[in-house]
Amino acid sequence: MTLEERFLRYISVYTTSDESSDTCPSTDRQLDLADILFDELKSIGIEDVSMEQGYVYAHVPASEKYKSNRAVAFISHMDTAPDFNGNHVKPQIIEDYDGKDVLLRGSGDMLSVSDFPELASLRGRTLITTDGTSLLGADDKAGVSEIMTAVSEIIADGTPHGDIYIVFTPDEEIGRGSDYFSFEKCRADYGYTVDGDYEGEVAYENFNAAAATVTVIGKSVHPGEAKNIMKNASTIACEFQSLLPSAETPEHTEKREGFYYLIGMSGSCDRATLSYIIRDHDHDIFENRKKFITETADFLNQKYGEGTVSVDIHDQYQNMIEVMKDHMDVVEAAKDAIRAAGLDPVSRPVRGGTDGAMLSFRGLPCPNLGTGGYGFHGPYEHCTLEGMETEMEIIKYLMTHPLL
């Protein structure tokens, strides 16, 4: 099976995760892809394949030449983001793409070069887009396809390789991809998540992340008799939001700039809730952001009465640079693989998180490789076959050049 055939097969499987679910995996539909991958890993000649709580594990023992080298893991997630429809994916395959705007025929929207400037550089390639009615699923089925194709080719060709572990995880998109990761089934010394975007990427920095829930308790009375009595929780919630720095939001920040992101709000006169995520690469600035949230609540409690505003903040993940700075040989190995594929390595701080960040803090140094996909989590998601093929070659290099 070719890389393209695998990718098109995998994206046809509906695997969107569900944050409101407390099961693992959060949706049974993820098991549909897990079953396919389990069977395929067996069919290409891997004996040690298992599945547990929706995680698919495979181990390929090292060739004699590399038995003394360190074991490497390759990890991608099976779920797609709940941000947009992930069902009934209808890909558009455009051979010899002209580098111009693309009509998404299902919705009538345009995938435009003005919004996604990298499109111009993809001219001449085979471009794969959505039809505008769903996301594509390249995040992260491109990564899954690349890992599967890489390992199948080195097994079929008899290429000497190191000790390889493969893990396909559920629920990464809702922040739970590493929750039930088994280090008994994956005994690697280092690893790579294959879950980035542009080819030639190796990322080893990401956001520090926290979630905050702000609850406002009001006092509801008849509006005709409300003077000096009513305390409108929804109005106070709007005031809370207005006190945060207006320019420190996702739509106004880039590169290493952090933000406060209001992801949801609801309320009435007697009670209102605001939900935030807080992000920053710098640990000290991140801590100050969390502090500012609590200080804003304190200010409003002084104004409206103690107990009016309460805040619940919990950390989600940390910047993997704190671990990776002591394992830069893993990053350098990825850069060697990228150069071998004819590209200049690029390392930008990830404006998000990866399973690799959490796994790094649990003892598996795990930077993130690109997949050749762009515009994730929405109808403008796209990738190129050539980009995926390049990433697959990078993975093969890492499988066949393990670290000592």
Side-chain angles (χ1 to χ4, degrees):
M1 192 183 303
T2 67
L3 174 59
E4 182 178 10
E5 289 169 340
R6 283 192 172 92
F7 179 65
L8 295 177
R9 183 187 189 195
Y10 301 160
I11 64 172
S12 71
V13 184
Y14 180 30
T15 59
T16 301
S17 48
D18 180 5
E19 193 167 18
S20 67
S21 170
D22 59 4
T23 62
C24 179
S26 64
T27 53
D28 287 342
R29 55 184 170 254
Q30 294 179 69
L31 296 174
D32 295 337
L33 181 56
D35 288 337
I36 289 171
L37 295 170
F38 180 94
D39 291 343
E40 193 174 339
L41 287 162
K42 283 282 192 181
S43 73
I44 63 174
I46 303 177
E47 296 180 4
D48 186 1
V49 183
S50 61
M51 183 161 58
E52 184 177 280
Q53 290 188 280
Y55 290 72
V56 179
Y57 301 90
H59 174 223
V60 186
S63 305
E64 189 64 36
K65 178 180 178 181
Y66 293 118
K67 283 189 179 296
S68 63
N69 291 62
R70 284 187 272 170
V72 60
F74 295 90
I75 303 158
S76 287
H77 64 88
M78 298 175 289
D79 63 318
T80 54
D83 305 55
F84 197 71
N85 172 43
N87 199 10
H88 303 301
V89 175
K90 302 179 183 68
Q92 297 184 167
I93 302 172
I94 305 168
E95 297 182 358
D96 195 19
Y97 167 58
D98 63 8
K100 298 178 181 178
D101 293 354
V102 177
L103 173 66
L104 305 179
R105 293 187 293 271
S107 65
D109 289 339
M110 297 295 292
L111 175 64
S112 66
V113 177
S114 61
D115 288 337
F116 298 95
E118 81 282 346
L119 283 166
S121 69
L122 305 179
R123 183 182 180 197
R125 297 188 181 189
T126 298
L127 181 71
I128 305 175
T129 76
T130 79
D131 75 340
T133 62
S134 73
L135 47 70
L136 182 61
D139 180 13
D140 188 26
K141 292 168 185 174
V144 174
S145 303
E146 291 153 10
I147 293 171
M148 283 295 310
T149 306
V151 73
S152 67
E153 288 191 3
I154 66 168
I155 290 174
D157 295 341
T159 308
H161 56 79
D163 210 21
I164 300 167
Y165 288 90
I166 294 168
V167 187
F168 298 127
T169 68
D171 294 336
E172 189 273 349
E173 294 291 3
I174 57 173
R176 304 180 202 164
S178 66
D179 284 6
Y180 296 96
F181 189 99
S182 172
F183 287 90
E184 291 183 4
K185 293 183 178 296
C186 177
R187 299 185 298 278
D189 299 296
Y190 65 102
Y192 300 95
T193 48
V194 186
D195 189 22
D197 44 22
Y198 52 93
E199 58 263 33
E201 169 192 21
V202 53
Y204 52 94
E205 296 182 66
N206 59 276
F207 275 142
N208 294 291
T213 301
V214 178
T215 303
V216 184
I217 304 300
K219 183 184 289 186
S220 180
V221 297
H222 191 285
E225 301 174 348
K227 187 173 182 180
N228 298 324
I229 302 173
M230 177 184 284
K231 188 160 61 174
N232 191 323
S234 291
T235 302
I236 297 170
C238 290
E239 185 176 354
F240 184 99
Q241 168 62 16
S242 73
L243 292 170
L244 301 183
S246 61
E248 296 180 20
T249 61
E251 61 266 39
H252 294 109
T253 52
E254 62 179 351
K255 299 178 181 177
R256 296 182 183 275
E257 297 169 338
F259 55 74
Y260 306 90
Y261 178 20
L262 176 62
I263 59 174
M265 61 187 302
S266 62
S268 59
C269 183
D270 65 316
R271 185 183 182 91
T273 302
L274 303 126
S275 299
Y276 291 93
I277 59 173
I278 305 165
R279 301 288 189 263
D280 213 289
H281 290 98
D282 184 278
H283 180 268
D284 291 340
I285 297 175
F286 173 66
E287 292 298 322
N288 285 334
R289 288 189 183 282
K290 293 189 291 182
K291 183 180 178 183
F292 188 76
I293 289 281
T294 60
E295 289 175 343
T296 302
D298 292 342
F299 170 77
L300 291 175
N301 281 328
Q302 292 175 11
K303 183 176 180 179
Y304 294 106
E306 194 62 36
T308 300
V309 182
S310 60
V311 175
D312 177 37
I313 300 177
H314 67 272
D315 290 335
Q316 296 173 304
Y317 51 82
Q318 298 170 264
N319 189 343
M320 74 168 83
I321 189 64
E322 296 303 318
V323 174
M324 291 310 307
K325 65 185 180 183
D326 297 323
H327 298 277
M328 291 304 291
D329 57 337
V330 177
V331 175
E332 290 304 317
K335 290 182 177 180
D336 288 342
I338 292 165
R339 293 186 189 100
L343 299 175
D344 292 325
V346 179
S347 296
R348 298 184 301 192
V350 177
R351 290 183 60 78
T354 72
D355 279 348
M358 287 171 272
L359 293 172
S360 292
F361 281 93
R362 292 174 62 188
L364 181 67
C366 200
N368 192 38
L369 299 176
T371 62
Y374 303 88
F376 297 154
H377 292 203
Y380 306 107
E381 191 177 5
H382 56 282
C383 63
T384 68
L385 178 58
E386 292 81 0
M388 289 193 292
E389 288 173 339
T390 297
E391 285 301 327
M392 186 265 292
E393 292 298 330
I394 290 168
I395 294 166
K396 285 176 66 175
Y397 184 98
L398 290 165
M399 288 178 171
T400 55
H401 295 75
L403 291 171
L404 291 170

